[in-house]
Amino acid sequence: MGNAVVAWKQRLFEELARGSDLLCLEVLGRQFTVRWGLAVTRQQRESMGSAWARCASSREPVLPPPPMEPTDNLPFTATVIGRSLKHDGGMFHVRAASFAELAESLTSRLTVEAILANAGGLTMLHACGVAHPATGAVVALVAKSGTGKTTAASVLAKTYGYVTDETVAIRPDGSVVPYPKPLSVKQGPGTPKRQVGPGELGLHPAPARPFIQSIVLLNRVQSERPAAPALERVPLADAVLALIPDSSSQGDLREPLQSLCRLIDTVGGVWQVTYSEAADLPAALDPLFRTQLQKQHGAKPERKASAAGGTRLGPIPDRYIRRAAAKDAVAIGDDLLVMLDNQIVRLSGIGPAIWAASASPLPPDQLAEAVGEVHGTPKGYRDAVALALQQLIAASVLEQGGQ
């Protein structure tokens, strides 16, 4: 009976595949199989197969069940089943009023599912990525949605290899996992983005072994008189604060701030390119694809790791103060960056001394004395410490017993 079921499933899969009812994909190392609903025409299925061709999977697929029944309002449907080392058998349905909406929703959902599957294993920057075709050196261009990533990718990848227009995924060894998804091209206000295959746009394929070479913040400015693009380094603390909101699941990594700082060190710092026209980007970014000699000349700021939150030993005594539990903290120069559950706080001035002294609960006067040992005791310093403590308590960086 078991062999008969296996044979039946294999025949069904072959018949579905011949009819283009299945789309088998590899997205950031996770395998997906998409099964189209009846409303999706043969031409539409083939167009999606072409758009996703560079993510096609050669592994043996898992057969999804039939899609959900269409409705009058949502006639276009698809069922997707995913498989990875961490998550096996995850399934979801997609329904939409039009094929364009279905295609856009599917692209977004596949990206999210793959990111979740890789949480804690990869550094994933919300960026487009292009790679030097000979060396494999990848430049990641970080920006929020709607601020120029796709346009930059479509311009740069006519010279360099197209890695992704969405998520640059970096392994701990610096190698990059390509995600050459369809580019999501705007069609107009209120209209779903069109999913266009990189081949249709004439974009070069990614090289076989891409690795991260440079990280760049995209800063597109509107100007009546476009100026020449400017490339400048970003201070380390500013770079970390800029990258964290434009990364996915960074907080799930071990030592999320320190690991990001190590990555930034590896690529010789973060750059920002300020530009008006995407056509100017290839020339502006050309130096960042060259050898790593330039990196070795970049000054690396002195940085030391700081204890994150420590083990909680019970309740805090009334009016005593202790620092909040943190996922990670890192000292950069005179500043301290602290990652809490849902935010990153930059501590300057006396803030780092307060953080260091409050590893265990202390009354406010003893905290003031500890800060005084580091920064001195000028007139009014206790009032300054008291004000800082209240501000840090209000920001949930510190906790006070009895509150």
Side-chain angles (χ1 to χ4, degrees):
M1 182 68 176
N3 291 336
V5 171
V6 171
W8 176 81
K9 286 186 176 181
Q10 181 62 29
R11 276 199 313 276
L12 176 60
F13 170 78
E14 292 173 354
E15 291 172 3
L16 290 171
R18 281 196 298 271
S20 300
D21 287 322
L22 297 182
L23 180 63
C24 303
L25 303 173
E26 195 88 16
V27 180
L28 297 179
R30 188 178 187 189
Q31 182 186 12
F32 292 96
T33 306
V34 181
R35 186 172 180 179
W36 302 111
L38 294 177
V40 182
T41 68
R42 175 65 59 84
Q43 182 179 5
Q44 290 167 340
R45 298 171 191 177
E46 291 176 352
S47 71
M48 286 296 280
S50 176
W52 282 94
R54 294 189 187 178
C55 294
S57 175
S58 59
R59 291 193 286 169
E60 181 181 352
V62 178
L63 182 65
M68 298 177 68
E69 288 295 325
T71 65
D72 291 341
N73 294 329
L74 301 171
F76 290 88
T77 61
T79 296
V80 184
I81 195 164
R83 181 170 63 182
S84 71
L85 294 177
K86 293 174 63 176
H87 303 279
D88 194 10
M91 184 184 68
F92 60 90
H93 300 276
V94 185
R95 294 194 294 182
S98 68
F99 174 72
E101 290 180 11
L102 182 74
E104 183 180 30
S105 297
L106 178 64
T107 297
S108 298
R109 188 65 185 272
L110 287 170
T111 300
V112 170
E113 292 291 327
I115 286 173
L116 292 175
N118 284 291
L122 300 175
T123 296
M124 293 175 283
L125 302 178
H126 193 206
C128 73
V130 290
H132 192 285
T135 67
V138 173
V139 172
L141 303 166
V142 181
K144 292 178 171 56
S145 295
T147 58
K149 293 194 314 299
T150 296
T151 302
S154 63
V155 171
L156 287 162
K158 288 182 170 65
T159 301
Y160 301 101
Y162 173 65
V163 176
T164 186
D165 77 333
E166 178 64 33
T167 302
V168 174
I170 306 166
R171 298 187 182 97
D173 64 359
S175 60
V176 171
V177 183
Y179 180 25
K181 58 178 282 294
L183 289 84
S184 299
V185 179
K186 294 179 180 178
Q187 299 297 297
T191 303
K193 293 180 180 178
R194 180 174 169 241
Q195 307 307 299
V196 184
E200 183 178 343
L201 295 175
L203 307 189
H204 296 301
R209 294 180 178 83
F211 65 92
I212 189 66
Q213 166 97 350
S214 299
I215 298 174
V216 182
L217 305 178
L218 278 182
N219 180 31
R220 186 178 59 177
V221 295
Q222 302 293 334
S223 175
E224 293 182 1
R225 294 184 178 179
L231 190 64
E232 58 184 349
R233 286 188 182 273
V234 181
L236 178 57
D238 294 338
V240 173
L241 290 172
L243 290 176
I244 287 291
D246 285 319
S247 62
S248 300
S249 305
Q250 184 68 19
D252 291 331
L253 291 173
R254 184 174 180 270
E255 298 180 340
L257 292 181
Q258 295 178 58
S259 64
L260 183 58
C261 287
R262 288 192 291 268
L263 172 62
I264 293 172
D265 282 347
T266 299
V267 299
V270 171
W271 298 81
Q272 176 174 278
V273 61
T274 301
Y275 70 104
S276 299
E277 302 293 335
D280 295 331
L281 287 175
L285 300 177
D286 177 70
L288 302 185
F289 288 95
R290 297 177 186 170
T291 66
Q292 298 188 21
L293 293 176
Q294 185 181 21
K295 299 177 184 178
Q296 298 168 2
H297 297 154
K300 295 183 179 180
E302 181 180 353
R303 191 181 73 248
K304 59 181 179 180
S306 302
T311 303
R312 289 291 170 254
L313 301 177
I316 305 172
D318 190 36
R319 297 185 59 80
Y320 277 51
I321 293 173
R322 182 177 62 199
R323 68 192 187 197
K327 292 184 176 180
D328 198 11
V330 63
I332 302 174
D334 294 330
D335 291 349
L336 181 72
L337 301 185
V338 179
M339 177 179 277
L340 304 173
D341 283 338
N342 58 358
Q343 63 175 328
I344 295 180
V345 181
R346 183 175 189 169
L347 302 180
S348 303
I350 62 175
I354 292 174
W355 177 266
S358 60
S360 299
L362 288 177
D365 58 338
Q366 289 188 27
L367 276 174
E369 291 175 4
V371 172
E373 292 177 0
V374 177
H375 290 278
T377 57
K379 183 179 179 180
Y381 91 95
R382 286 185 178 273
D383 291 337
V385 173
L387 177 60
L389 292 177
Q390 292 307 311
Q391 292 174 337
L392 293 174
I393 290 171
S396 301
V397 177
L398 301 177
E399 301 171 335
Q400 186 167 28
Q403 291 192 352

